[in-house]
Amino acid sequence: MIITLEPDASSETQRNVEAFASRFPGVKLRLHTFEGANHRVVEIHLIGTPQVMQTIPDREVATIPGVRGVVRVSTKYRLLGRHDSKMTGYRFDYNGVSFDEKQVHIFSGLCAVDTPQHVEETMRALQDNGIVTTRMGAYKPRTSPYEFQGLGKDCLPWVFELAGKYGVKVIAMEVTDARHVGEIERALESTGNPTGVMLQVGTRNAQNFELLRALGQQKRFPVLFKRGMGITLEESLNACEYVASEGNSNIVFCLRGVKTQLGEPHRNLVDFAHVPVVRRLTRLPVCVDPSHSVGRMDAAPDGLPDIFHVIGQGVIAGASMVLVDVHPDPKTALCDGPQALGLDKLPFLVKYVTTIRKAYESLTTVSS
Ligand code: PEP
Ligand code: MN
């Protein structure tokens, strides 16, 4: 059961709900606080066996002064689920950037960090195009152990410093092991926190439950969760719930295509038709990753590469974030060069995303 308090509700309301819940044996309380730009909203989640939960009279809870709403939830992804169309979407602010349904952020950057020169050229180009969010792969989960595995923790200090130098506020960075979080934290401290990091769970780790729990146990960094490429959407949503169940609901859910030969000639079968589905089933902002979905730079007869066409599909469906591989010299990239856009494509990328987002806002009830 989720009990939502009125915005900025008093601590007395919270105590009254807690006292009410204490009448039901074995029911545990978990508090979720959402700090918005202007208000603080508290949700109190009551967790117990179905037998006990059905004895709780929700009408009585709703009459406690300061309670705004009460929703009974199913056992599946109970924290992330929308459960009721009137429930508002999750939003969070991180390092000066807001993540919600009201805007779309372009996270364009290197699939794999290679040289300081390439990182600097990329960061400078982002700044020139007014982009403050990027992706930078330091820990790369590769299909073969003989492929480039990423520079790991050694590159973190200079990547973070260069991000700070060019005003980049959030870097999406995949972690494949819980110890990488400590490495990121130490590198940020040692460089004076010049930027922020969003921890990315790659598709290969979508059901690595220990990693998911570890990312949920820390609250410093938000999490970008990529759906599993070979499991159902339902299984991915349940896996993502592991992060929230440990206490961190600052999550963006990312679609990146699913593995099947039926997607050929694309690298994966593009699944951006699931953007509205994830938004309906959960309260999470949704990201699309056109680069890992399409995997190549071929263009349609209209001159637009397939990557742009699927970005359009994601944005017109209400995505809040687009994760795109770019590289100053795609031919020499050590990972996924064939799907990387050159930096010269950034102005068009910004124009394209902005134009389509405006169309989306003009055609739906969402406006910025
Ligand atoms: C990536 O974004 O670099 C990546 C490896 O993506 P995925 O986990 O979706 O394959
Ligand atoms: Mn990649």
Side-chain angles (χ1 to χ4, degrees):
M1 179 179 285
I2 298 181
I3 302 168
T4 309
L5 307 190
E6 294 288 358
D8 306 313
S10 68
S11 52
E12 194 191 341
T13 302
Q14 204 172 304
R15 278 197 303 278
N16 289 342
V17 173
E18 284 165 4
F20 172 85
S22 68
R23 286 171 24 203
F24 303 92
V27 170
K28 289 205 202 91
L29 267 77
R30 196 172 265 176
L31 228 61
H32 287 263
T33 307
F34 306 98
E35 301 285 353
N38 303 313
H39 299 286
R40 176 173 177 270
V41 174
V42 173
E43 282 182 4
I44 303 178
H45 296 233
L46 306 193
I47 303 159
T49 60
Q51 289 79 0
V52 178
M53 293 308 293
Q54 72 193 16
T55 66
I56 304 182
D58 35 3
R59 291 227 183 104
E60 197 180 328
V61 193
T63 61
I64 299 174
V67 168
R68 182 190 232 184
V70 181
V71 178
R72 282 197 183 273
V73 300
S74 63
T75 49
K76 286 186 295 184
Y77 36 96
R78 58 171 78 140
L79 293 172
L80 302 184
R82 196 169 286 260
H83 307 298
D84 176 334
S85 59
K86 289 193 284 299
M87 278 183 120
T88 51
Y90 283 156
R91 57 156 292 142
F92 61 91
D93 298 316
Y94 174 65
N95 209 30
V97 180
S98 302
F99 293 85
D100 55 26
E101 59 174 18
K102 304 244 176 241
Q103 56 230 302
V104 55
H105 299 293
I106 300 173
F107 277 65
S108 43
L110 303 179
C111 176
V113 170
D114 46 18
T115 66
Q117 289 74 13
H118 285 155
V119 172
E120 180 146 18
E121 277 178 66
T122 304
M123 298 290 186
R124 189 185 298 121
L126 295 177
Q127 186 177 55
D128 290 346
N129 286 281
I131 300 173
V132 297
T133 45
T134 188
R135 54 158 296 145
M136 290 281 150
Y139 308 98
K140 297 304 302 175
R142 302 305 300 279
T143 304
S144 160
Y146 308 115
E147 289 169 323
F148 176 60
Q149 304 288 306
L151 297 178
K153 70 173 174 359
D154 295 344
C155 71
L156 300 180
W158 49 267
V159 169
F160 294 160
E161 273 165 358
L162 286 167
K165 178 171 171 189
Y166 292 97
V168 168
K169 295 182 175 160
V170 187
I171 303 175
M173 180 174 279
E174 179 165 358
V175 290
T176 55
D177 189 289
R179 83 188 134 80
H180 297 154
V181 182
E183 292 176 0
I184 289 171
E185 225 157 8
R186 285 191 287 281
L188 282 171
E189 299 311 331
S190 71
T191 51
N193 294 301
T195 187
V197 173
M198 177 177 245
L199 302 172
Q200 183 175 321
V201 176
T203 193
R204 292 160 188 79
N205 278 309
Q207 284 184 310
N208 180 343
F209 300 119
E210 291 313 311
L211 177 64
L212 298 174
R213 280 190 207 280
L215 300 192
Q217 281 157 11
Q218 61 79 42
K219 285 204 177 164
R220 173 168 177 183
F221 303 108
V223 173
L224 178 63
F225 176 93
K226 287 195 163 192
R227 80 170 298 174
M229 60 179 149
I231 57 176
T232 63
L233 181 63
E234 181 79 7
E235 286 163 335
S236 287
L237 295 175
N238 277 301
C240 190
E241 176 85 6
Y242 271 82
V243 180
S245 72
E246 294 291 335
N248 184 0
S249 306
N250 290 348
I251 304 170
V252 178
F253 188 93
C254 181
L255 296 168
R256 47 80 70 208
V258 291
K259 191 117 217 136
T260 157
Q261 286 174 335
L262 301 178
E264 286 175 3
H266 292 160
R267 183 174 175 182
N268 287 290
L269 183 67
V270 182
D271 54 352
F272 298 171
H274 280 169
V275 172
V277 179
V278 177
R279 296 183 62 213
R280 182 165 65 246
L281 295 177
T282 78
R283 303 162 74 188
L284 298 178
V286 179
C287 171
V288 290
D289 176 345
S291 306
H292 290 83
S293 298
V294 170
R296 51 200 285 154
M297 281 310 298
D298 306 68
D302 57 18
L304 280 188
D306 296 3
I307 288 194
F308 276 93
H309 278 288
V310 303
I311 289 172
Q313 291 163 15
V315 174
I316 201 76
S320 300
M321 176 169 162
V322 182
L323 192 71
V324 195
D325 287 1
V326 298
H327 195 281
D329 184 16
K331 293 185 303 304
T332 65
L334 297 177
C335 181
D336 288 349
Q339 68 193 31
L341 305 177
L343 298 178
D344 57 327
K345 298 288 186 308
L346 282 176
F348 182 72
L349 176 65
V350 173
K351 179 176 164 199
Y352 186 75
V353 169
T354 313
T355 306
I356 295 177
R357 175 71 195 184
K358 277 203 191 105
Y360 169 72
E361 288 176 8
S362 72
L363 296 167
T364 62
T365 54
V366 173
S367 57
S368 55

